[in-house]
Amino acid sequence: MTMNLSGASICDEELLQGEARDIQLPNTEHISQISVDVGGSLAKVVYFSRRTGTKGGRLNFRKFETEKIDECIAFIGRLLEESRAVRPDRDFVIKATGGGAHLYYDRLRNALNATIEKEDEMECLITGLNFLITEIPFEVFSYSEADPMCFEETPEDPFPYMLVNIGSGVSILKVTSATTFERISGTSLGGGTLWGLLSLLTGAKTFDEMLEASQDGDNRNVDMLVGDIYGTDYSKIGLKSTTIASSMGKVFKKNVDKRQFKPEDISRSLLYMVSNNIGQIAYLNAQAHGLKRIYFGGCFIRGHPITMNTLSYAINFWSKGTIKALFLRHEGYLGAVGAFMKHRTSRRNSRSFTVSEQLAQKLEKAALEVTLAQDTLDVVADDDDSS
């Protein structure tokens, strides 16, 4: 059974903040496929399931903290048990990507009693993104406070583009075709940085708690603004009085009781700091490589309004409105989706790095060379006839 993507749509059930909606595939009856992307902070699982009373099936998305990897493995084990009850004679394959596919390989194989096939992390990211932006309607959107979710039309030719994948760290990839990409930059200041600092400075225990706290915070209580230095805008160089001049700049002042700084304010300040830094690095790379389309992915974003607005503002500010930041409704699952598409039953439907596709390219090149050679022989033959 192969995936039939006709009629694919994103499900509309209400979910908690940061959770990803399932993707309905009404014309795909059943495919026993599971993939997992294990990063430094989170493990993401994608799998296919059917629901009683509905046509076809759906892609499901779940995430776990990597430090609780045994919970993730137990969840996959339950999925395998259900599949084995239906098809006890089948050998099941789990596609695994991310650093954890190597770090936890033995644990996955032994606990699940299944074949674990490791897939390249960057290839999976691109394959997953290509699938989502070309095959799933209402997946890609831009964000602003005035227009929170403005959906983008599916581009006829999605290439070239730049992917800024924000996980524990940040990787920036330039993608020029379905099978051609290069990592052009990155930074160690990513989601793991924010998570680590807020763990030290606030009482929050999970990343979701930290993001929730930032919504109630006021960064002006801890950040030094342009207005704090000039008393007004610095309009000559385009800086508003509310522009952050120094992140956490008010904290260092003498004779200030550090206990007066609220965790909510610190959370918002550091979220701005990390997001603004990523936004500027992204813009500089887009400018250097002449790219006009920037996708932001990774579980750092989680559909969080402040994060998306900060990234959008940074790209719009530095590009003077010539470039838009683009987001995805499944931004944290690009690698897991890409690994899922590596299963043989999915390959022909995806813009994927597969042996068959590479072979097709070679055959196409060989056919072109034969055609050129034949044209040359025809020309020579014509010359001989004319003489």
Side-chain angles (χ1 to χ4, degrees):
M1 172 67 70
T2 59
M3 288 178 64
N4 184 338
L5 300 176
S6 60
S9 63
I10 297 175
C11 299
D12 57 3
E13 294 100 332
E14 289 296 324
L15 296 173
L16 297 174
Q17 176 70 36
E19 295 296 324
R21 297 177 186 274
D22 295 343
I23 294 177
Q24 185 72 34
L25 300 174
N27 294 298
T28 298
E29 288 303 319
H30 187 70
I31 44 175
S32 298
Q33 295 180 189
I34 303 172
S35 67
V36 59
D37 174 13
V38 187
S41 302
L42 294 169
K44 289 77 64 178
V45 179
V46 173
Y47 62 97
F48 183 89
S49 72
R50 296 192 63 189
R51 296 199 177 183
T52 304
T54 61
K55 183 182 178 183
R58 57 174 61 189
L59 290 184
N60 304 267
F61 304 86
R62 299 294 181 269
K63 67 178 183 291
F64 304 83
E65 293 183 15
T66 302
E67 67 177 21
K68 300 175 182 177
I69 189 65
D70 288 331
E71 291 183 9
C72 176
I73 294 174
F75 177 79
I76 296 174
R78 290 192 293 272
L79 295 178
L80 287 175
E81 285 178 11
E82 294 174 5
S83 295
R84 284 172 175 145
V86 178
R87 302 185 66 179
D89 57 336
R90 175 170 176 173
D91 293 326
F92 288 90
V93 175
I94 307 295
K95 291 288 188 178
T97 189
H102 303 272
L103 183 62
Y104 299 109
Y105 175 79
D106 289 334
R107 193 183 301 187
L108 286 164
R109 183 185 59 184
N110 295 334
L112 299 174
N113 191 27
T115 300
I116 309 298
E117 294 185 354
K118 294 176 284 189
E119 298 289 346
D120 181 78
E121 180 178 3
M122 297 302 166
E123 288 186 4
C124 286
L125 284 174
I126 302 307
T127 296
L129 179 54
N130 289 341
F131 168 76
L132 290 170
I133 64 179
T134 59
E135 303 290 353
I136 306 302
F138 302 106
E139 173 69 34
V140 179
F141 63 95
S142 59
Y143 185 93
S144 67
E145 289 182 332
D147 194 355
M149 187 173 278
C150 182
F151 289 107
E152 295 285 310
E153 294 289 334
T154 301
E156 290 186 10
D157 183 4
F159 309 106
Y161 66 77
M162 191 171 82
L163 169 61
V164 182
N165 195 60
I166 314 171
S168 300
V170 182
S171 284
I172 299 178
L173 307 176
K174 174 184 177 181
V175 184
T176 52
S177 78
T179 56
T180 307
F181 74 93
E182 61 176 317
R183 186 179 188 274
I184 55 176
S185 187
T187 173
S188 62
L189 304 182
T193 307
L194 181 64
W195 196 343
L197 289 173
L198 291 180
S199 294
L200 290 173
L201 299 175
T202 73
K205 292 182 171 59
T206 69
F207 197 39
D208 289 322
E209 285 182 21
M210 297 169 191
L211 292 178
E212 186 176 347
S214 69
Q215 291 182 311
D216 300 322
D218 187 346
N219 70 298
R220 294 174 296 180
N221 294 327
V222 293
D223 290 342
M224 185 177 293
L225 310 181
V226 169
D228 295 323
I229 300 172
Y230 286 90
T232 184
D233 297 343
Y234 191 171
S235 56
K236 186 176 181 179
I237 59 174
L239 297 179
K240 298 178 181 179
S241 62
T242 55
T243 300
I244 299 172
S246 175
S247 296
M248 304 285 287
K250 289 179 180 174
V251 178
F252 78 94
K253 289 186 176 182
K254 296 179 180 179
N255 302 319
V256 173
D257 185 357
K258 301 300 187 290
R259 290 174 296 180
Q260 76 177 43
F261 299 110
K262 298 179 180 178
E264 294 83 358
D265 299 340
I266 294 172
S267 296
R268 194 164 187 127
S269 171
L270 292 180
L271 179 61
Y272 279 153
M273 180 186 74
V274 173
S275 299
N276 277 321
N277 182 63
I278 293 171
Q280 185 171 17
I281 292 173
Y283 162 71
L284 291 173
N285 277 280
Q287 183 187 47
H289 291 268
L291 300 171
K292 295 295 184 181
R293 192 178 291 137
I294 305 176
Y295 294 97
F296 286 90
C299 279
F300 172 78
I301 300 170
R302 301 196 189 196
H304 191 248
I306 296 174
T307 305
M308 292 189 293
N309 191 60
T310 304
L311 291 169
S312 294
Y313 181 85
I315 296 299
N316 183 70
F317 177 83
W318 291 111
S319 72
K320 295 181 171 58
T322 62
I323 304 175
K324 281 194 301 186
L326 299 175
F327 303 96
L328 300 108
R329 297 172 76 178
H330 297 88
E331 77 275 280
Y333 292 88
L334 303 185
V337 170
F340 188 91
M341 302 307 295
K342 295 286 189 175
H343 281 278
R344 286 188 294 273
T345 56
S346 304
R347 283 180 174 175
R348 70 181 187 87
N349 297 296
S350 69
R351 294 170 179 264
S352 173
F353 294 76
T354 64
V355 173
S356 59
E357 195 163 45
Q358 292 170 352
L359 179 59
Q361 290 176 339
K362 291 179 180 179
L363 291 173
E364 184 178 354
K365 180 180 178 182
L368 177 61
E369 290 174 348
V370 170
T371 300
L372 291 174
Q374 184 61 51
D375 289 344
T376 302
L377 290 173
D378 291 342
V379 170
V380 171
D382 289 344
D383 288 344
D384 290 340
D385 291 341
S386 62
S387 62

